[in-house]
Amino acid sequence: MVASLTEWPKSVNLKSSEVNKMKGEILRALRDSGDYVSGESLSKELGTSRVSIWKHIHRLEQDGYTVEASPKGYRLLSSPDLLIPCEFPGLEQRIHHFREIGSTMDAARKLAEGGVEQGTIIVAESQSHGRGRLSKEWLSPEGGIYFTVVLRPKISPVYAPRMNLMASVAVATTIRRLFGLKAELKWPNDVLIEGRKVCGILAEMHAEVDAVHFINLGIGVNANTHVSQQEKKATSLKEQLGREVCRKEFFRSVLMELKERQALLTEADLVEEWKSLSATLNRDVRIVAPGEEIIGQAVDIDSGGALIIKDKDGSLRTAIAGDCIHLT
Ligand code: BTN
């Protein structure tokens, strides 16, 4: 089922976030025990009735969890790898999860315009109209990770492109830390493994000349997706590792890395971190931007995230946006 934007009020009301919190607490209690836990002790521990515990367990089963119910109590047998709010303690009220959606960017824009708080996250298991940069389509089958974070940074709009740096650094760092794969960055904001794209980032801003209202940061990761032979420029984590990855763990880690870096948004450290992970610097590149093409060697990025290119005459040119093709 595709969730249309008109369904938002139903899916993000306070009641559903309370339900998510209780589901999360039950999951934690069952996982901590690793054995049977009686309805009575769950109801005491969580301060709710046994009927309410039973109802929440039923909801977990509807989400795809397998819970054995016996005279000894409840025991968790298996969990689906879904990015549902109850799996992210402390974020249950901020994460809005969809099995399928048009695009998390559209939903995020609507919510941001409606005034949702900084850090609200829209995540979907699949998208029917996933959007990429430069009006391209972003294929979003199940198995990938697709989410948009609503950010309200107190920065001048000139720093906005650094959001892309922050997101790509957060994703590459997660890939390196969790899987030991050499994730690298292609300007402006692609994450590559062995030269093939594993993650794309799309930032959309609503701002005045001197103030940012919100920046929606959309991140799409080819996690457990199949990459066809035709897509020579793309890869997935599953293809690289020869096994499926835990999407929950990956998502949790990227959110943590993003949070850590938000404070660095106006600091030089962020640019240095991006440079240390860059696959673009010191290469010959072609930058294709609307009405302009620049060919030369990528020599640096500036404090705003623009790419500095030395052309064949030795002149330095600056690319603020565009498609970057690695020539060497
Ligand atoms: C790119 O072209 O490289 C950017 C791709 C961005 C895809 C993500 S998936 C989550 C969010 N929702 C979208 O429709 N697009 C972004």
Side-chain angles (χ1 to χ4, degrees), residues 107-148:
R109 191 186 59 233
K110 195 103 176 161
L111 281 177
E113 284 169 355
V116 289
E117 64 175 328
Q118 137 92 13
T120 298
I121 299 159
I122 298 88
V123 60
E125 300 295 327
S126 67
Q127 301 183 114
S128 54
H129 293 88
R131 294 198 272 115
R133 291 178 57 243
L134 310 169
S135 307
K136 290 180 196 158
E137 181 190 11
W138 182 260
L139 290 176
S140 313
E142 274 182 25
I145 299 173
Y146 315 105
F147 66 104
T148 301

Side-chain angles (χ1 to χ4, degrees), residues 79 112 123 130-131 151 159 188 228 231 278 280:
S79 306
V123 60
R131 294 198 272 115
L151 297 168
Y159 282 116
S228 75
E231 291 181 78
S278 169
T280 297

